[in-house]
Amino acid sequence: MPRAVYVLALGIFAMVTSEFVVAGLMPQMADGLDVTVPQIGYLITAFAVAMAAGGPFLTVALMKLPPRTALMILFSVFLTGNVLAATATGYGVMLAARIITGIASQAFFGVGISLCAQLTRPEVRGRAVAVAMNGLMLGTLLGLPLSTLVGERWGWRAAFWTITALTVVAAAATLAGVPRTDPAGTGGGFRDEVRVFRRPRLLLALSTSTLIIGATFSAFSYFNPILTEVTGFSTGTVPALLIAYGAATVVGNTVVGRLADRYTLPVLATGLLLNLVFLTGFALFTDVPVPAVACMLGIGLVGVTMNPAMVTRVQRAGNAGPLVNTVHSSFITLGIILGSSLGAVAIDGWGLRAPLWLGAAMALAGLATVAPPLIRATR
């Protein structure tokens, strides 16, 4: 595995930590910016929407540049957004900062995953994506609790300055550890990359990714209130459970990465089926601690950890270029938006178990998008 793949994981870790930091410091940021907690919550939505809508346009603007140069520009934009957040004097400035960092983060994912494909042999690309995406898993496992700890001890601005420092380290590592490569090797130009979106099998693969992530985040977004108000855990216990969940995602991502290249569709189908079982089990036994925690960890093993197989399928259906990978990331982000927002609507109507049932329904729909190509492949 090329050293550059591990360097890209560090960059992704910085991006993901910045994405999650607001969720861990909502009360402190609300006090510091003199706004309400729901208004701080909108910053999370703004980041996600900026990722989904703005990332592909920034990727298009950088397509003719060598990937390493594009990554350094993205680091600069991301760094600017984090400095703006750390020094924000009002809500409007903070909102602008989150939009800037969201757009840069999404484009970084697209260019970085495309570069993974360019630097590795086709038969190990899924494994390379898994290594890079460990930055995402470690962002869940370590980035969120560490940034929350820094923010609680030294103030929320310190958390953003810490992420700024991490970004500088990741940028320096990228400059030193990522080789110069030809931009032509990443996909073949703008027209070639746009043309592939006419392929029905690519659109089907993109919809699968949205449903996998939507199913997972409809549950993950509400683990805290579910575990405290229904399962009965204390608020002090929940962080430890979330760390265990993060550890499960690291394990699952590693396993899926090993299997994604040879067994792409079976891995996706198995992951969706198991996620359906775990989400249903969590919904049925929410008030029983042991099975509830077991199902929660199961969701960690087979939820976002499908990323290497999802990326492999999308690249085979389309190409390994930066635009395809960025648009794929946008479909993944769409799943986060749908899962969390529809989960909120479900809670308002049917209570805290409802987002778990919603996740199960989305996993079932995801199975429906994987079953036809899997059946055709086995004939």
Side-chain angles (χ1 to χ4, degrees):
M1 193 61 57
R3 179 179 61 179
V5 176
Y6 296 94
V7 173
L8 290 170
L10 178 60
I12 291 174
F13 176 76
M15 306 282 166
V16 172
T17 301
S18 179
E19 178 182 357
F20 289 164
V21 65
V22 171
L25 298 171
M26 294 179 77
Q28 297 93 323
M29 291 181 66
D31 290 340
L33 296 172
D34 195 25
V35 295
T36 65
V37 169
Q39 284 178 290
I40 297 299
Y42 293 142
L43 295 175
I44 299 174
T45 305
F47 191 100
V49 172
M51 288 180 70
F57 291 100
L58 183 54
T59 301
V60 169
L62 299 174
M63 277 182 60
K64 293 184 179 180
L65 297 176
R68 190 176 74 170
T69 302
L71 291 175
M72 297 311 297
I73 292 173
L74 292 171
F75 273 125
S76 299
V77 175
F78 186 77
L79 189 67
T80 300
N82 272 291
V83 171
L84 195 61
T87 58
T89 55
Y91 184 79
V93 176
M94 178 59 76
L95 180 62
R98 298 306 287 170
I99 290 172
I100 291 169
T101 49
I103 292 172
S105 177
Q106 189 78 318
F108 188 93
F109 271 82
V111 175
I113 296 303
S114 176
L115 184 57
C116 281
Q118 188 177 353
L119 294 173
T120 54
R121 303 186 308 276
E123 63 269 21
V124 295
R125 284 179 180 173
R127 183 180 169 191
V129 169
V131 170
M133 292 307 289
N134 264 332
L136 169 61
M137 309 308 161
L138 291 173
T140 306
L141 176 62
L142 300 176
L144 175 57
L146 288 177
S147 61
T148 302
L149 178 64
V150 170
E152 289 177 346
R153 180 161 297 189
W154 292 289
W156 62 268
R157 294 183 190 276
F160 283 101
W161 283 121
T162 301
I163 294 168
T164 299
L166 177 61
T167 303
V168 172
V169 171
T174 299
L175 195 60
V178 173
R180 293 180 180 272
T181 52
D182 185 353
T186 59
F190 176 70
R191 290 185 179 181
D192 290 335
E193 289 220 34
V194 169
R195 193 176 295 119
V196 300
F197 290 102
R198 300 175 184 175
R199 300 176 184 174
R201 67 189 185 118
L202 175 57
L203 298 177
L204 188 65
L206 292 171
S207 67
T208 301
S209 296
T210 297
L211 290 166
I212 289 172
I213 301 302
T216 303
F217 270 82
S218 65
F220 175 76
S221 302
Y222 303 100
F223 276 168
N224 197 321
I226 290 170
L227 291 170
T228 55
E229 297 181 31
V230 182
T231 313
F233 287 105
S234 66
T235 54
T237 304
V238 171
L241 294 175
L242 292 178
I243 289 174
Y245 172 89
T249 66
V250 173
V251 173
N253 182 67
T254 302
V255 173
V256 171
R258 294 281 183 174
L259 301 174
D261 294 298
R262 294 184 61 188
Y263 307 105
T264 309
L265 288 174
V267 165
L268 288 172
T270 302
L272 279 162
L273 181 60
L274 288 174
N275 212 9
L276 172 61
V277 171
F278 290 132
L279 285 162
T280 301
F282 201 175
L284 290 173
F285 301 104
T286 318
D287 54 349
V288 186
V290 173
V293 170
C295 289
M296 184 193 78
L297 296 179
I299 294 168
L301 284 171
V302 297
V304 294
T305 58
M306 291 296 111
N307 262 295
M310 287 155 45
V311 170
T312 300
R313 184 186 180 198
V314 165
Q315 289 182 351
R316 288 174 180 171
N319 60 43
L323 184 58
V324 168
N325 283 294
T326 304
V327 170
H328 182 214
S329 295
S330 293
F331 272 80
I332 289 172
T333 305
L334 177 62
I336 296 173
I337 295 170
L338 289 175
S340 58
S341 59
L342 293 178
V345 173
I347 289 173
D348 287 338
W350 297 280
L352 282 169
R353 294 177 191 253
L356 301 173
W357 289 114
L358 171 66
M362 294 183 78
L364 185 61
L367 271 173
T369 67
V370 173
L374 180 60
I375 293 171
R376 286 195 298 268
T378 55
R379 285 177 179 173

